[in-house]
Amino acid sequence: MTAPAPSISTPTGSPAIRAAQSFLNSRDYPTKANFKPLVVDGVSGPLTETALIKVYQYFAGVNTDGKFGPISKRAANTLRRGSTHQWWVRLLQSALNANGYKLAVDGDFGVGTEKAVRDFQSSRRITSDGIAGANTWEQ
């Protein structure tokens, strides 16, 4: 009798969502923004969505309740191609990835991130200008 072949474990889910989840778990954000570290499984669900909002709120300096309301919207940081706010850009890229895009979470708001923002805005029927402002963050 021959021994069974060893099983090879491969990651599941979307690599882009795994990158977003890894970012959300980095730099002690779970503690700073008050959420349990995410399982990096590549599946965007309610825990990933709440973590995105809470890290946004942490960055914005507002209450980290995980609900995007008027106070969170008013605190929006406007980002556009060339923005140098690398942690905000990483958060934006992570949020886009959680919505089906496949961006590197690298903090570089370049042509690819701008195109993803435009496409996202168009899909949500808001002004498609490639600039992530309050209305884009709210979506």
Side-chain angles (χ1 to χ4, degrees), residues 3-130:
S7 64
I8 299 172
S9 176
T10 57
T12 59
S14 162
I17 294 172
R18 282 198 309 274
Q21 291 166 329
S22 294
F23 167 71
L24 293 166
N25 282 340
S26 72
R27 301 175 57 87
D28 202 28
Y29 292 139
T31 300
K32 293 173 180 175
N34 193 28
F35 63 92
K36 290 183 182 179
L38 300 169
V39 173
V40 180
D41 60 4
V43 178
S44 182
L47 296 177
T48 301
E49 295 296 325
T50 298
L52 283 163
I53 294 168
K54 285 186 167 201
V55 172
Y56 170 96
Q57 290 170 325
Y58 167 72
F59 285 179
V62 299
N63 184 31
T64 56
D65 62 5
K67 296 175 180 85
F68 196 99
I71 294 171
S72 295
K73 185 174 180 176
R74 280 194 301 274
N77 188 343
T78 301
L79 302 172
R80 61 184 45 127
R81 187 163 20 139
S83 287
T84 58
H85 305 289
Q86 74 161 315
W87 302 111
W88 274 99
V89 173
R90 288 173 195 255
L91 179 62
L92 174 64
Q93 292 166 331
S94 295
L96 289 164
N97 286 353
N99 281 280
Y101 296 87
K102 296 177 180 165
L103 298 168
V105 181
D106 60 8
D108 178 23
F109 197 131
V111 174
T113 300
E114 181 181 44
K115 180 178 180 341
V117 170
R118 283 183 190 276
D119 291 348
F120 175 78
Q121 291 167 328
S122 180
S123 75
R124 298 302 172 104
R125 301 191 192 301
I126 58 176
T127 302
S128 180
D129 58 7

